[in-house]
Amino acid sequence: MPLNKKILVIIFWIGFLFAGNENYITREGFASFFSQAPLEDIYAENNTISCMLNTQSGELAFIIPIKEFQFEKSLMQEHFNENYLESDLFPTSTFVGKIESWNEIKGLDSSKVTVSGDIMIHGIKKSVTEIGLYKKVGDTIIGETTFRVKLEDYGIKIPTFVFNNIAETVEIKVHIELRVKK
Amino acid sequence: MKRYLIQLFLPFLLFGQGNLLDELHQPEPLTIPVKNIFKGTRVVNLQSVEMVHPNILQFMVSHRFGTINDGFYTLFGLDEAEVRFDFQYGYNNKIVFGTGRNSFKKTYETFIKMKLKDQTDGLNNFPFAIVYYSSIFINTEESGPTVDEYFENRLSYVHQLIIGKKISTKLSIEVVPTFLHRNFVLQLSDSNDTYAIGVGTQLKINQWVTFNSEYCFRIGEYSDLYNNSFSLGFDLETGGHVFQIHLTNSQGMFERAFISETSGNWNTGDIYFGFNLSRPFQMK
């Protein structure tokens, strides 16, 4: 092998070894679920959201374990899993997408961002675009968003006898703090 | 040349980004509890492996009407009814206790239900859930001297191991080895101890409706006045209440009455229409 080719191989390897760590990750992200209906408000929290951000490309992925949503009333939690989200069949919700105009945003300390991609809830995939907040504090990247999910869009049916207990559209809040993946 | 290209692009293959989602996926946890094996705390009459959740007080009221072969005169038994109600409280994940009253022989009961083992998936899997159930019954009917003079003749006891399994998301089954002791029985031909195996199944029709069946098979020789209990029914969930409607050949709704003293007979239409209605109240 000629020397210049050898050098090229070495450069490629070195480049990859040093540029390898671009992923920021968390396994303890926060998400909440809020439904407001005439008869009752339903609220649940989940502190086990996994999220990864590729700081080179602005690509972003989320995994939300459905069974980890904690409700105030255990019966609500049972119904949420058994009757609506069917978490035995669909144990996680996922999101795969990217932050738009990432090349401009990644240099900033904080900014409003637009995130678009595919969300999967209850086994049904939809393309969504949501607005969020991006902040960089020291070596931590913080992301926040609030968006609304129309249950019908994801094949989650509300029977008429509980129509006044559960909202047709629920509000999801997400807060994540990402650190460099080691 | 080929070798050179492989060497050049190997890092792409090794450290290539691939799919961000795949990278984020974690191996599944070692222990995944299997929940909601049955919808209600009873299949029809038999206790199910389901426990009332911690800090929940559950009120259940049940009716069994008269025999449906009485015909139109009693509107298929609706004029007459046996009534039962109970309160049970989830002390924690493992222990539920409660008390109830049955109009059949004016029987009071107090019971305890203990979770011994959960069914789990994952690497540390365990194939079924095991629950221990025990109840004491006190007959408070004003009747002849045999029971009036000797209080202990009013008592009976039941011990059950409830072994339940969610076979698939649609189908659950339980097997219930039972020992029941009656301090006093009316017939000489009957025995004070009853050994039985109960079998309950639940087939999920959709998230809101299930079809249930149960059979209690007595092992040994017993008075021929009594039959084995067989029941069929539906569970309807209405977001809070569980409403169970059924047909059964047992009019009594506690173990002594339906396991060892079932007098109805499916073959002659000597069966009863009934329901259980349960309502949970969150106490904390």
Side-chain angles (χ1 to χ4, degrees), chain B residues 5-260:
Chain B
L5 282 177
I6 288 172
Q7 282 187 2
L8 190 61
F9 289 107
L10 191 63
F12 278 98
L13 300 173
L14 287 181
F15 305 111
Q17 282 310 314
N19 186 337
L20 217 52
L21 204 56
D22 291 340
E23 213 169 323
L24 201 52
H25 267 297
Q26 295 189 95
E28 67 173 17
L30 295 177
T31 310
I32 310 163
V34 175
K35 292 184 173 167
N36 305 108
I37 299 177
F38 282 83
K39 216 175 235 333
T41 53
R42 287 178 171 235
V43 182
V44 172
N45 285 316
L46 267 182
Q47 292 288 332
S48 80
V49 279
E50 279 325 304
M51 310 272 288
V52 171
H53 293 184
N55 303 322
I56 284 198
L57 180 71
Q58 178 183 276
F59 172 63
M60 182 185 261
V61 59
S62 308
H63 278 54
R64 302 291 180 270
F65 298 100
T67 53
I68 58 172
N69 63 2
D70 278 351
F72 191 69
Y73 181 64
T74 63
L75 197 61
F76 306 97
L78 288 192
D79 290 352
E80 308 139 19
E82 290 287 339
V83 181
R84 175 184 195 279
F85 65 84
D86 72 25
F87 290 94
Q88 49 185 305
Y89 182 71
Y91 179 69
N92 58 28
N93 273 324
K94 303 271 179 210
I95 297 174
V96 170
F97 51 82
T99 183
R101 199 229 184 229
N102 303 271
S103 60
F104 188 75
K105 302 237 159 99
K106 310 209 182 312
T107 302
Y108 288 85
E109 63 175 293
T110 174
F111 56 86
I112 187 163
K113 204 169 176 179
M114 292 196 295
K115 170 71 65 71
L116 305 179
K117 201 91 175 87
D118 269 313
Q119 185 185 344
T120 51
D121 279 344
L123 263 181
N124 297 333
N125 63 31
F126 191 76
F128 31 75
I130 305 175
V131 170
Y132 167 70
Y133 178 78
S134 179
S135 185
I136 303 175
F137 309 105
I138 308 167
N139 166 342
T140 65
E141 210 171 36
E142 293 172 2
S143 52
T146 353
V147 286
D148 282 350
E149 282 177 24
Y150 303 97
F151 175 74
E152 56 271 31
N153 282 356
R154 297 180 173 277
L155 300 179
S156 36
Y157 314 86
V158 68
H159 301 278
Q160 295 181 310
L161 266 188
I162 310 169
I163 302 163
K165 181 171 177 63
K166 198 179 209 175
I167 293 175
S168 70
T169 51
K170 294 260 178 234
L171 182 68
S172 299
I173 186 163
E174 67 173 30
V175 175
V176 188
T178 300
F179 170 69
L180 191 144
H181 178 80
R182 293 172 288 172
N183 279 353
F184 177 68
V185 290
L186 277 175
Q187 280 85 32
L188 272 176
S189 61
D190 214 350
S191 98
N192 292 79
D193 291 341
T194 304
Y195 298 90
I197 302 274
V199 178
T201 62
Q202 175 182 282
L203 183 69
K204 220 167 161 181
I205 295 168
N206 61 32
Q207 292 106 299
W208 311 99
V209 183
T210 66
F211 174 69
N212 300 354
S213 71
E214 71 176 40
Y215 186 70
C216 300
F217 179 73
R218 291 169 303 159
I219 300 161
E221 298 266 319
Y222 302 97
S223 160
D224 52 13
L225 283 179
Y226 300 124
N227 299 317
N228 286 340
S229 171
F230 177 59
S231 317
L232 294 173
F234 291 96
D235 283 6
L236 310 170
E237 190 179 319
T238 62
H241 300 81
V242 175
F243 189 60
Q244 303 179 293
I245 51 169
H246 26 251
L247 285 173
T248 170
N249 60 340
S250 308
Q251 197 177 21
M253 288 158 273
F254 55 105
E255 283 72 13
R256 169 176 179 151
F258 72 82
I259 293 178
S260 48

Side-chain angles (χ1 to χ4, degrees), chain A residues 68-165:
Chain A
E68 298 297 330
F69 276 98
Q70 304 297 324
F71 288 71
E72 194 187 332
K73 294 183 178 176
S74 57
L75 201 74
M76 285 177 176
Q77 191 161 333
E78 181 185 319
H79 292 162
F80 175 80
N81 283 292
E82 277 287 298
N83 301 343
Y84 300 105
L85 273 290
E86 300 181 81
S87 59
D88 277 346
L89 297 173
F90 312 109
T92 58
S93 278
T94 57
F95 173 83
V96 186
K98 58 187 289 195
I99 300 173
E100 312 238 323
S101 326
W102 175 246
N103 283 334
E104 292 139 49
I105 287 160
K106 68 176 171 187
L108 303 174
D109 278 345
S110 82
S111 169
K112 233 180 178 177
V113 291
T114 305
V115 177
S116 62
D118 291 334
I119 192 166
M120 175 131 86
I121 301 174
H122 192 233
I124 293 178
K125 201 184 253 188
K126 288 226 174 291
S127 289
V128 292
T129 302
E130 303 292 348
I131 307 286
L133 202 66
Y134 165 87
K135 253 190 291 188
K136 190 155 189 201
V137 182
D139 55 0
T140 306
I141 292 176
I142 299 171
E144 266 176 13
T145 181
T146 300
F147 61 96
R148 301 177 74 80
V149 169
K150 198 175 176 199
L151 299 180
E152 203 187 343
D153 290 349
Y154 298 93
I156 300 168
K157 288 182 202 124
I158 309 296
T160 44
F161 52 76
V162 285
F163 202 73
N164 285 325
N165 299 72

